[in-house]
Amino acid sequence: MIINKILASYTFRFLWAYVIGLSVSVLIVLMLVYATYSYDYFKQLQGAVADEIVALEEVYENTGFGGLERFIGEKIEKGELNRFYYLVVDQEKRKLAGNLDDWPIYRRYDDGWLEFHLEILSWNDQKRELRFIGRSEEIGDGYRMLVVHHHGEFRGYAEAIRGALVRSMMVTIVLGTIGGAIVAGLSVRQIDRTNKTLQSIMSGDLSDRIESASMRGEHKELALNINLMLDRIQQLMEGLRQVSDNIAHDLRTPLTRLRNQLSDMQDQAVSDREDRVQPLIDEADGLLSTFSSLLRIAQVESGSRRAGFTRLDLRIILLDVIELYEPLATDKAIRFVSSLQAEAFINGDRDLLFQAFANLIDNAVKYTPENGCVNVELGSAGEEAFVTVTDSGRGISAVDQGKVFERFYRVEVSRSLHPGNGLGLSLVSAVVKLHYGHITLSNNQPGLRVEVRWPLVD
Amino acid sequence: MRILLIEDDISVADYIGKGLRQSGYSVEHCADGEQGLALAQKSEEYDVLVVDRMLPNMDGLTIIQTLRAADNKSPVLILSALGEVDDRVKGLKAGGDDYLVKPFAFVELLARIEALLRRQKSSTSETKLKVADLEMDLLAHKVTRGGGGFNLQPREYKLLEYLMKHAGQVVTRTMLLENVWEYHFDPQTNVIDVHISRLRQKIDKDFDQQLLSTVRGAGYMLRDPEIQ
């Protein structure tokens, strides 16, 4: 499915990792801002508390406890209770002055600062928990003074900011993921299309091109460049083919003359020399037949034979091929089994199809040892007709299977054991492609299984 | 036997002309399409016309069509180079009797010319073929030799019929494929030899006289050894 494809795509994973990475960096930056800000805030707070204590100590020193009590009283009166809370106690921790009732239970830090929280009633009778920070000092005569400041508001802001941060981070990740999926989807679609075209080209249709009209940006540029590269490859291949065809074409005439002169010589020669001329004629015939095969492949590949396609029954052609090759198999004691379905019509060239089947069956018989088995099957599946030829020979290794359709390619072991020019399967492949078909080789364990598929016609 | 050869490639023409003359034919050569047509029209005496497809001034198929339109029934063998348009069907539809792709071995050309000449002579109303003591009854589909009958497969029957119709003549492997199997293709192995040897097993094995022989480098021949 497209969703799975998107999720598995490199673009998506890359974008997703990017979104996560970006979120983490933003989080780190915001945490730093938070830390710096709160550090400054507490520093200021501590400074204010320290100043207040110094002021109160001065008041005590100058005016004694009475003055301090008055001073604190004035401060509270002035409505500065929002800022500072005071408590002066005696040795038994009994309240002497201030606006806190009891000596609180606090946490004392190493640097002497205290922290605690209290529940207080706010102006509308609601309980509020407030956090305080402050210091206590001995002010003489066994009295202790506590000056604190609450920082609950700051905590509140911090909580709110943190909540907002986490939520926006979530939204960022979700939106980033969706955005990434959309971008990846678009890119997956374009790359998918490009890959499909390239696969079709690799399977043989070199004339196909990537459709770049609907693409944009780098994808379009890439598609255009691939197309240009394909044009170039096609040109080169055509040039190469042209050269080899020309060679085959031009060398055939002198070879024919050579062959015929040898033949003349044989007619005139005395009998002992006649035997020496025959191998030369055979050699010339072999070369001529190789050239003819090359040119025939070139002709098939040019596609001009498609003009003469007619509707024909594969069964009839197969029966004729089987009938032609059956005695060859019988001579080698090979079991020749065929199972052909009633009819299978395709559009094609009768002679070329016969040639292709003949080459396949000829190979099967050739490479199957005595007492082996060759099996020919005709069937149809869906919109396609298929023909399989299987043998019980030594088969073709997976490495060679991709190469045997190349011209002149021969499997190493067969080079020495069996005669041939390495063009038989090239011709088969050309004929199959001419008929818009596909050919696949697989292992028959032991032996080779060749399967050819064509689109059926009514 | 007179043969008109219309071919513009001088080396091919020389080679065909020389070979045919050595085989006892009288050959007239013409390198131009229009002149060739004029020659063929002037005299209806030619037994066979050998016409190349690609000719200066007028192509081979037009020559044949013109002759056929004028009711000239001389057998025509068309020559064509592979790599050019290999359109056998078109050639035969235009009125050609046989079609040979260049380059070819001379024996192939000779065998085909002889087959064309034979076709001209033999009437289609023949109902019995006979070579030495081998007889084929075309109506009853029966083959006998020296009084005994054979059980032939349909294809073997067809093969033997073709060989008997061309008795005394070299018949090449391609001719057999084209006429007996009716496919134009290039067998890569000796698949025809196997069929011939099977046929030979049936018609020659129990007899002293061997009728079906292999002609080295060319093909096969069925003939009565007493007639030379």
Side-chain angles (χ1 to χ4, degrees), chain A residues 252 256-257 260 264 278 295-296 299 305 320 323-324 327-328 330-331 350-351 354-355 358 362, chain B residues 11 15 18 82 86 102-104 106 155 181-186 188-189 191 194-195 198 216-217:
Chain A
R252 273 204 323 173
T256 311
R257 271 190 232 125
N260 290 323
D264 281 357
Q278 188 58 45
L295 290 174
R296 192 169 292 113
Q299 194 203 26
R305 293 283 285 257
D320 286 341
E323 193 234 41
L324 181 64
L328 209 61
T330 313
D331 279 5
R350 169 176 185 277
D351 290 330
F354 188 91
Q355 176 85 62
D362 190 279
Chain B
S11 73
Y15 154 62
K18 194 179 127 209
L82 190 92
D86 174 31
K102 286 196 279 192
F104 43 79
F106 181 73
R155 194 70 69 181
W181 277 271
E182 290 164 4
Y183 285 97
H184 304 283
F185 88 110
D186 172 28
Q188 306 208 314
T189 37
V191 63
V194 181
H195 285 266
R198 286 204 160 185
R216 205 174 179 192

Side-chain angles (χ1 to χ4, degrees), chain A residues 181-213:
Chain A
I182 290 170
V183 171
L186 290 174
S187 131
V188 159
R189 228 182 51 202
Q190 297 195 336
I191 287 173
D192 244 24
R193 215 161 50 198
T194 308
N195 274 334
K196 269 201 192 104
T197 316
L198 289 180
Q199 269 154 14
S200 124
I201 290 166
M202 281 187 287
S203 71
D205 186 6
L206 206 57
S207 61
D208 209 354
R209 288 293 177 271
I210 298 161
E211 193 268 301
S212 62

